[in-house]
Amino acid sequence: MISGILFIVTLVWRDWIERVFGVEPDQGSGALEWAIVAVTLCATVVFSLLARSEWRRAGELRTE
């Protein structure tokens, strides 16, 4: 959930790191923000797949 929110925030508000923390770790290029988008997107997909498999496993246990 948090990774999905961070993904959306970074897509919409691309300079949030500079505004929130007052530093420019990538000297304004936006590379750090895009790295965050990539990592949070991957994390969201992985966590969603894990939750799906857990949900299915729990459903199978209930029907047995």
Side-chain angles (χ1 to χ4, degrees):
M1 173 88 165
I2 293 172
S3 61
I5 292 170
L6 187 56
F7 172 70
I8 299 296
V9 167
T10 305
L11 279 178
V12 174
W13 192 23
R14 293 190 179 145
D15 62 343
W16 69 269
I17 292 175
E18 287 84 0
R19 292 181 187 229
V20 171
F21 298 110
V23 296
E24 292 188 22
D26 56 4
Q27 284 70 41
S29 73
L32 180 62
E33 286 85 353
W34 282 111
I36 290 172
V37 168
V39 168
T40 56
L41 177 62
C42 291
T44 301
V45 169
V46 167
F47 294 148
S48 298
L49 292 173
L50 288 171
R52 179 180 176 207
S53 68
E54 190 68 27
W55 184 263
R56 285 185 171 186
R57 188 175 336 147
E60 289 173 4
L61 291 176
R62 279 182 275 171
T63 58
E64 291 179 0

